[in-house]
Amino acid sequence: MELTDSYRKPGQKDESDDSARVPAKLSSAGFTLIPQPSDDLKDPLNWSSLKKATTLFIWCFGSFVTTASGLGNALGYFVQAKVYNKRDPIVLSYSVVAATAGIAIGPLFAVPLARRYGRTFIFFWSLVGLLVTGIWSATMTGSNQYGAFVAARLFGGLFGGTAPTLGADTIVDIFFLHQRGKAFTVLNLSFLAGVVVGPTLSGFIVGSTSWTVQFWWSNGLEGIIIILTLALLEDTYYDRTPEGGEYRGRWPENFFANRVATFFCGPRMIPSISMAETFQIFCNSFLIGICPVTILCGALTLVDFGFAAFFNIILTVFLQDSVVMGGYAFTPVQNAECKSHLIDSPIVNIH
């Protein structure tokens, strides 16, 4: 995951390089502001607290919805077995595994594309893609459509994996160093909430109504976040180099013109990079991934997300499989209640 304060190319001089010549700017609490903001009100670092909070909320809500949608049928795929005439529990879990793989792989493509087209641009169209795949999943009700259903879940995961990653980049753009810890915590908790809430809700849903509803409810939330993104979310691109004035002046002041520029003209609003440079950023993700610091930090995400995701898959196989097949013949609702108790227990113990 590439975290940068702006889209500054290597070798370009940052305006903050001259910060030693002027007194450092401080926060109201006396903290030295890192990075040092410019005097431009359009600088995301100078946005109001309300605007920053709104931006963070949209990215967090998006992270919750996209993850919950990706793992939405984790407790419901045994019910779908009757539709697709599948008996092997491992085969039944392919749809959830495909979505999980998509969530893990999606950011590898999202980061370089966001550098080329803009983060908000990629986030918005990923949400649209996620909504399309959600509708696609809910309409795969034919007995011969299991393969298409698994494909829909894979693409849903690919689209759904963009929000947490690009949201982290956005936090770096709009918050100062001493503020980022809290912001990252909120974003990560939103992401994990989606991992837990989505599958649990699906268990209660399929126990009382059609299994397709486990996708329709998240489709509704995706529609809401798309509207919020269209209306309120601004791209955090801000070129801090001396040459950056050209690009800073490209963003229209008019609301509707700004929306069109953000979501339909992204490539013209930020410094363009070639496809070769885009591919280089893609390759850099793998180099960054093998760095010791990345491995140590990534281990936490691997544990919290990996455990929660595969816990949903494996637990469902054991609990909802028939007694004859070595399972416990739980209903989806019983499975969801079991998960709820497992989630509640640590919270109760803390209190």
Side-chain angles (χ1 to χ4, degrees):
M1 178 165 56
E2 184 182 82
L3 299 178
T4 57
D5 291 326
S6 65
Y7 294 110
R8 180 160 55 96
K9 294 182 179 180
Q12 283 185 314
K13 184 180 179 182
D14 195 305
E15 291 176 354
S16 62
D17 294 340
D18 297 328
S19 59
R21 303 176 186 176
V22 296
K25 296 179 180 179
L26 306 177
S27 70
S28 58
F31 293 106
T32 300
L33 298 179
I34 303 173
Q36 287 283 288
S38 67
D39 295 324
D40 187 357
L41 294 178
K42 294 181 180 179
D43 185 344
L45 291 172
N46 292 328
W47 285 358
S48 67
S49 298
L50 177 60
K51 189 172 183 178
K52 289 184 178 183
T54 301
T55 300
L56 179 61
F57 169 77
I58 292 175
W59 281 102
C60 289
F61 188 28
S63 297
F64 167 78
V65 172
T66 55
T67 311
S69 173
L71 301 175
N73 71 315
L75 272 64
Y77 58 80
F78 267 79
V79 175
Q80 295 174 254
K82 300 175 183 178
V83 176
Y84 300 122
N85 298 319
K86 303 293 183 182
R87 295 182 180 274
D88 186 347
I90 302 301
V91 174
L92 291 174
S93 68
Y94 285 171
S95 61
V96 185
V97 173
T100 305
I103 292 173
I105 297 172
L108 294 175
F109 299 96
V111 169
L113 290 175
R115 175 58 187 85
R116 182 175 174 84
Y117 299 107
R119 293 192 196 110
T120 308
F121 179 93
I122 295 299
F123 177 56
F124 172 75
W125 289 107
S126 294
L127 289 172
V128 173
L130 184 64
L131 178 59
V132 171
T133 58
I135 296 173
W136 179 9
S137 301
T139 54
M140 294 294 98
T141 56
S143 60
N144 62 340
Q145 293 181 316
Y146 185 64
F149 175 74
V150 173
R153 303 316 302 145
L154 172 62
F155 283 105
L158 289 171
F159 288 123
T162 62
T165 303
L166 300 185
D169 283 349
T170 300
I171 286 174
V172 173
D173 275 354
I174 66 177
F175 289 104
F176 296 105
L177 182 62
H178 67 280
Q179 300 171 324
R180 292 174 186 170
K182 293 179 181 179
F184 277 123
T185 300
V186 173
L187 180 68
N188 194 49
L189 288 177
S190 302
F191 172 69
L192 291 178
V195 176
V196 174
V197 172
T200 304
L201 276 181
S202 77
F204 288 112
I205 288 171
V206 298
S208 58
T209 187
S210 170
W211 64 266
T212 59
V213 178
Q214 63 188 336
F215 298 109
W216 288 120
W217 77 267
S218 60
N219 290 344
L221 292 182
E222 289 155 18
I224 293 173
I225 192 65
I226 286 174
I227 294 173
L228 290 175
T229 300
L230 272 173
L232 301 174
L233 194 63
E234 292 189 27
D235 199 281
T236 57
Y237 164 74
Y238 189 84
D239 193 332
R240 301 182 184 282
T241 65
E243 301 82 10
E246 174 190 352
Y247 295 100
R248 293 196 292 268
R250 290 185 179 184
W251 293 95
E253 296 289 343
N254 178 271
F255 174 78
F256 293 103
N258 183 278
R259 299 295 83 192
V260 171
T262 301
F263 300 112
F264 300 96
C265 305
R268 296 200 297 270
M269 307 311 297
I270 62 176
S272 61
I273 61 173
S274 65
M275 287 302 298
E277 290 174 304
T278 304
F279 181 71
Q280 182 61 53
I281 294 174
F282 174 79
C283 295
N284 287 344
S285 298
F286 294 94
L287 297 177
I288 294 171
I290 61 176
C291 291
V293 174
T294 307
I295 293 174
L296 289 174
C297 295
L300 174 62
T301 302
L302 178 64
V303 171
D304 56 18
F305 170 72
F307 174 79
F310 288 101
F311 173 80
N312 289 320
I313 300 171
I314 300 301
L315 189 66
T316 300
V317 171
F318 280 106
L319 294 184
Q320 292 185 219
D321 206 2
S322 65
V323 176
V324 176
M325 297 294 293
Y328 293 89
F330 273 37
T331 66
V333 173
Q334 290 174 321
N335 190 358
E337 290 175 344
C338 178
K339 278 200 62 181
S340 299
H341 289 306
L342 290 174
I343 296 168
D344 290 341
S345 296
I347 298 176
V348 172
N349 290 334
I350 290 174
H351 289 290

